[in-house]
């Protein structure tokens, strides 16, 4: 059942990608998703600006309009006539480090050369695409827990889930979870007690009182009998 | 909210979450009659280090001694002070949480922004602990000493621009009042980024004159090249004993240009507990340390009890409505940006 | 220089507590910078909310310490494990990594420490001496000039963004667009939302934490666990590195000041300066071919320039609130968080001048700490690069969440870090300049408010930006520079083709 579902899903994505490939004239990647997000957000915000008074609408219109135009240009880059296309998609090196890189490249092996390029353009390789996805999803889970049970208890749960996924050994995972709860507890004590409140639910679970913190303990216990 | 109160509130009072069973041994401090039996939270709707915050940080330790319980200051800044008031509105009404609101600044902001989730009138008065207000600062290169000369300079066209602290801000409304009722005929009122923005604009002569609070004016005057020429307040400003007063040129502007730092509690907070807090604030406000601080910083500390505060709160919004045509103000804001 | 204030600042700094913050900041910075995948802006972004309960002076001094320390820490990762991604030390890798492959890692690391410290200290002394003139500069820069400086920063996107200009511009305008959410500065409109939670707009500190912490952790999670190669042995002599640096005083001084000047241009940070200083070192060398194979001059140039950038980038940051780099964007967040407004008062003896001096002195001291730590612990620093990323990732995310929430206890901020974390991850992945995006987010409000205010000042006339006779020469000059930056590259390309043809 699960495998059928995931196969159907994979088929659907692959079909969508095929359509995308025809429309975009290149295989769609997350870059296109990113561009569509920019495009849609820009369009929505341009449209939304009509409700503002004249002065307040200028800047949102300008920036939203530019976002729409630029993301559309990048989405449609394979349809553009040659001179414009090269401006849109080809990298232009503005800082004159070109000389250096050529000089160095000439006297170096290929491996180092590709490293250098990656440093200059600030890109990198992803060995395991599941990693970022898992971190992203776990962060969302963390946020949902934060808004329901509060960050104090959401924190060790998040770390435990991560440790589970990363296959960290039990003793190490336990230490990691414990120290994360420690950090959250320090925030509770020193920064803001609101970390123990679920913002959406307004739930407040009881917070452990450490015996080493006598004034907390005393005030909690005497609160009722005073 | 602070941690100890959290423990009580959260565990004792939050039975709505049906967790009460977990905390049967703890009770809400208030039930046993003695107030306060636990620490209090003093909410400041501005960030740490701001004008309102420094008052609370001066008074809180002294008030703590008087109450016998700790007071924790909680900054809930944002939205020109309104976010903090919205937060306070939703807090428990047992007296353990209260806040400082600058009356009538928050009533003005609430009215201009047409907020309908909560009402200033529902908050409960405690006391007031200080006063601040506006003065007009002028760049020294114009050699202006009082409001009369300033008025003439604008009338002659020697000066054109006038700086205020932000669109929709009370100082924006005051700019119009000054032109309509006090003949300050500026051509062009320009919004700068808060009090610091106005100070900087007047110092650099981007605008020859502008509206500053009495405390930030001290800073501007000390850094040279700027003078405070007229007070828009009724209260004396010890830092500027010789300053001209707007009342020499027309009616008082104190209903919008002078602010009391009023302490208020969430709607429904019983009067007895509010009196306890008010008494502690009185001790703090009249303490020798506070008097020394007052002289050193130029902040004006003035204590008013619960009943006086109640009157101030009751009258604030009515006075604003009576003197300011809010619809016209809104139209002017819209027209100005075309 | 106001001697009285300077002495007061020194007195503030040389108390045990404040000194402890400086040292702690630098050490934290070195650790954070050296950890795989973590760089200066990330380190500062996670530490920023932790400074919330601190006294403003100590908070800023701690942040400054982290800034300076992580600049050096970044070079450790660059030299030992050749990490791409810590862009401010990118040029250090060119010669630093080959050196460690040749067994001269300790020499490279001590060169890095010495060059960083000397260039850092020199540029700060110069900045201290020039600080009185900065007041004049700040006051000369009025509303229209401020708008233009913000635009200049944005125009620098085309320089900073390596890759397609259109991608860089898109990132920049998208950043600007983010700042339009919330109450409008010139009307009573609440743009795109009526919620009180977004009244003041999207918190830029939360955006920074999202872009630098969450996005970087997503990236790190995608890379193989053990980054450190066992093969790297920390060999070579420490003293050889010191001598080698001292034998190249011209490179140190030139690169340091290049870094300082470039750093003080809004929008251009260490990413740009260490490449330029490196190319300059290659250009002026007798033996350019040896670069890339472990030429020590290359390491000196890159490291001297990126620490010189620290001093330079403070100028636009504390004068106008305009960041020269991502790290200074976080620093500005720290200033604002403690109610310190960048501007004239930062240089005013009756304002915050004492803090500014204390900040610069702390940097000076920080460089000393870098030198001491860097030289004495050289052989042990390698451990930092071997920490398993599976411990780093959850902890950084936990700190980001807690820290962000602590900023303002605003739940929207938590959503913000996730949204911009994911966005940032894919932007970096597909070569959309995150730095351009950050500049947009930081400069949006400044640009919009000052544009609107300029037009109010001029009664609606755009001539305020170009008319030198009525409004002064600075604005037209800035307009000219902006135009040159924007069209320059195209003209250059034309020119070259013309010449070739």
């Amino acid at each position: 059942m699960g495998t059928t579902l995931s196969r159907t899903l994979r088929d659907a994505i692959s079909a969508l990608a095929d359509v995308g490939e025809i429309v975009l004239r290149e295989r769609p990647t997350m870059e296109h998703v990113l561009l569509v997000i920019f495009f849609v957000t820009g369009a929505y915000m341009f449209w939304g600006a009509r409700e503002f008074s004249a002065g307040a609408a200028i800047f949102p219109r300008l920036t939203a309009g530019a976002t729409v135009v630029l993301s559309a240009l990048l989405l449609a880059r394979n349809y553009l006539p040659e001179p414009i296309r090269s401006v849109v998609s080809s990298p232009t090196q503005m800082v004159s480090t070109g000389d250096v890189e050529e000089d160095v490249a000439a006297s170096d092996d290929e491996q180092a050369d590709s490293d250098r390029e990656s440093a200059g353009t600030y890109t990198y390789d992803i060995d395991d695409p599941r990693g970022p996805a898992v971190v992203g999803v776990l962060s969302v889970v963390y946020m949902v827990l934060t808004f329901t049970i509060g960050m104090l208890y959401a924190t060790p749960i998040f770390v435990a889930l991560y440790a589970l996924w990363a296959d960290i050994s039990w003793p190490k995972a336990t230490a990691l979870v414990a120290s994360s709860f420690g950090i959250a507890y320090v925030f509770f004590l020193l920064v803001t007690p609101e970390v123990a409140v679920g913002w959406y639910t307004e739930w407040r679970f009881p917070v452990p009182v450490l015996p080493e913190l006598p004034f907390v303990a005393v005030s909690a216990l005497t609160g009722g009998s005073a | 909210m602070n941690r100890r109160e959290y423990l009580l509130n959260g565990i004792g009072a939050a039975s709505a979450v049906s967790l009460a069973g977990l905390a049967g041994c703890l009770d809400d401090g208030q039930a046993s009659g003695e107030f306060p039996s636990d620490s209090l939270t003093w909410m400041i709707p501005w960030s740490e280090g701001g004008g309102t915050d420094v008052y609370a940080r001066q008074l809180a330790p002294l008030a703590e001694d008087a109450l016998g319980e700790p007071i924790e200051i909680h900054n809930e800044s944002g939205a020109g002070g309104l976010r903090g008031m919205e937060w306070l509105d939703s807090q428990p009404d047992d007296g353990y949480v209260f806040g400082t609101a600058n009356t009538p600044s928050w009533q003005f902001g609430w009215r201009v922004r047409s907020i309908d989730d909560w009402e200033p009138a529902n908050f409960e008065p405690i006391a007031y602990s200080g006063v601040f207000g506006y003065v007009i600062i002028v760049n020294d290169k114009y050699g202006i000493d009082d409001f009369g000369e300033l008025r003439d300079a604008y009338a002659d066209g020697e000066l054109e621009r006038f700086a205020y602290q932000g669109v929709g801000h009370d100082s924006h409304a005051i700019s119009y009042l000054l032109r309509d009722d006090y003949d300050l005929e500026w051509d062009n009122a320009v919004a700068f980024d808060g009090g610091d923005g106005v100070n900087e604009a007047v110092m650099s002569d981007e605008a020859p004159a502008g509206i500053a609070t009495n405390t930030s004016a001290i800073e501007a005057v000390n850094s040279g090249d700027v003078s405070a020429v007229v007070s828009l307040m009724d209260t004396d400003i010890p830092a500027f004993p010789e300053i001209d007063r707007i009342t020499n040129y027309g009616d008082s502007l104190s209903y919008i240009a002078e602010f009391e730092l009023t302490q208020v509690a969430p709607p429904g907070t019983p009067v007895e507990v509010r009196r306890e807090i008010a008494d502690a604030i009185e001790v703090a406000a009249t303490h020798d340390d506070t008097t020394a601080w007052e002289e050193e910083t130029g902040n004006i500390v003035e204590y008013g009890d619960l009943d006086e505060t109640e009157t101030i709160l009751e009258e604030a919004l009515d006075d604003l409505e009576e003197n300011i045509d809010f619809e016209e103000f809104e139209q002017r804001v819209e027209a100005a940006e075309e | 220089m106001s001697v009285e204030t300077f002495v007061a600042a020194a007195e503030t700094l040389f108390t045990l507590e404040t000194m402890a913050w400086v040292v702690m900041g630098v050490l934290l910075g070195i650790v954070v910078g050296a950890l795989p995948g973590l760089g200066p802006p990330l380190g500062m972004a996670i530490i920023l909310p932790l400074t919330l309960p601190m006294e403003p002076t100590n908070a800023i001094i701690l942040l400054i310490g982290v800034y300076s320390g992580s600049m050096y820490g970044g070079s450790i990762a660059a030299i030992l494990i050749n990490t791409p991604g810590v862009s401010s030390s990118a040029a250090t890798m060119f010669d630093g990594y080959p050196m460690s492959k040749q067994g001269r890692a300790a020499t490279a690391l001590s060169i890095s420490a010495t060059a960083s410290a000397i260039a850092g200290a020199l540029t700060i002394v110069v900045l201290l001496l020039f600080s009185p003139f900065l007041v004049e500069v700040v006051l000369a820069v009025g509303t229209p000039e401020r708008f233009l400086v913000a635009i200049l920063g944005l125009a620098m996107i085309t320089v900073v963004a390596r890759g397609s200009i259109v991608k860089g511009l898109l990132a920049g305008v998208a950043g600007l667009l983010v700042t339009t959410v919330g109450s409008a500065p010139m009307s009573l409109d609440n743009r795109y939302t009526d919620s009180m939670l977004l009244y003041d707009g999207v918190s830029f500190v939360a955006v920074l934490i999202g872009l630098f912490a969450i996005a970087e952790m997503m990236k790190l999670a995608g890379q193989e666990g053990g980054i450190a190669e066992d093969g790297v042995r920390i060999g070579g002599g420490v003293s050889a590195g010191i001598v080698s640096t001292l034998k190249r005083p011209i490179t140190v001084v030139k690169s340091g000041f290049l870094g300082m000047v470039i750093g003080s241009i809004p929008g251009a940070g260490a990413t740009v300066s260490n490449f330029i200083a490196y190319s300059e070192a290659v250009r002026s060398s007798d033996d350019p071919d040896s670069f890339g194979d472990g030429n020590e001059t290359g390491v000196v140039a890159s490291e001297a320039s990126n620490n010189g950038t620290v001093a330079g980038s403070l100028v636009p940051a504390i004068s106008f609130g305009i960041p020269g780099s991502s790290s200074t964007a976080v620093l500005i967040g720290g200033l604002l968080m403690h109610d310190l407004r960048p501007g004239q008062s930062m240089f005013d003896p009756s304002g915050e001048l004492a803090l500014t001096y204390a900040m610069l002195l702390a940097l000076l001291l920080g460089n000393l700490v870098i030198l001491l730590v860097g030289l004495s612990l050289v052989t042990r620093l390698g451990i930092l690069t071997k920490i398993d990323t599976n411990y780093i990732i959850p902890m950084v995310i936990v700190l980001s969440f807690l820290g962000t929430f602590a900023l303002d206890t605003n739940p929207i901020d938590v959503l913000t870090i996730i949204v911009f974390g994911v966005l940032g991850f894919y932007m970096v992945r597909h070569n959309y300049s995150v730095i351009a995006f950050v500049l947009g987010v930081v400069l949006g409000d400044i640009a919009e408010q000052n544009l609107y205010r300029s037009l109010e000042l001029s009664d609606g006339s755009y001539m305020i930006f170009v008319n030198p006779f009525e409004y002064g020469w600075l604005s037209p000059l800035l307009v000219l520079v902006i135009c040159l930056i924007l069209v320059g590259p195209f003209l250059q390309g034309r020119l070259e083709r013309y010449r070739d043809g």
Side-chain angles (χ1 to χ4, degrees), chain B residues 87-269:
Chain B
W87 178 87
L88 188 63
D89 186 63
S90 68
Q91 291 303 300
D93 58 2
D94 54 12
Y96 285 89
V97 190
F98 65 100
T100 299
N102 298 327
T103 304
S105 168
W106 63 303
Q107 286 89 349
F108 182 88
W110 175 84
R111 175 68 183 77
V112 166
R113 297 279 168 185
S114 336
I115 288 162
D116 43 22
D117 296 345
W118 51 272
E119 270 187 55
N122 292 343
F123 284 85
E124 310 287 357
I126 296 173
Y128 72 87
S129 56
V131 178
F132 69 95
Y134 291 132
V135 298
I136 295 180
I137 53 170
V138 183
N139 191 302
D140 282 343
K141 84 182 224 197
Y142 300 100
I144 287 167
D145 291 324
D146 60 33
F147 185 72
E149 289 173 32
L150 184 67
R151 200 178 49 184
D152 296 345
Y154 275 108
D156 296 347
E158 189 196 338
L159 306 184
E160 290 174 358
R161 297 169 186 154
F162 188 74
Y164 64 94
Q165 304 190 357
V167 172
H169 191 260
D170 41 34
S171 62
H172 190 186
I174 294 173
S175 308
Y176 283 114
L177 289 166
L178 287 170
R179 194 169 67 169
D180 294 346
D181 303 338
Y182 302 83
D183 303 321
L184 191 75
E185 292 170 6
W186 45 261
D187 286 343
N188 194 357
V190 183
F192 285 87
D193 193 7
D196 291 333
V198 170
N199 279 351
E200 218 169 282
V202 175
M203 272 184 235
S204 66
D205 197 33
E206 198 154 75
I211 298 183
T213 60
N214 59 320
T215 41
S216 74
I218 297 175
E219 248 174 70
V221 168
N222 282 346
S223 65
D225 308 334
V226 170
S227 301
V229 300
V230 59
S231 165
L232 308 182
M233 307 163 61
D234 286 355
T235 307
D236 294 333
I237 308 172
F240 306 119
E242 306 284 307
I243 196 169
D244 194 12
R245 285 166 182 274
I246 197 72
T247 43
N248 295 334
Y249 304 86
D251 296 336
S252 165
L253 265 176
S254 65
Y255 64 89
I256 185 168
E258 180 166 326
F259 307 93
E260 270 89 19
L261 288 104
T262 47
Q263 274 67 243
V264 294
T269 307

Side-chain angles (χ1 to χ4, degrees), chain A residues 39 87 94 121 147 149-150 185-186 203-204 212:
Chain A
F39 183 85
V87 171
M94 296 297 158
T121 50
F147 290 165
I149 66 171
Y185 194 72
V186 168
W203 287 354
R204 299 145 194 270
E212 300 91 274

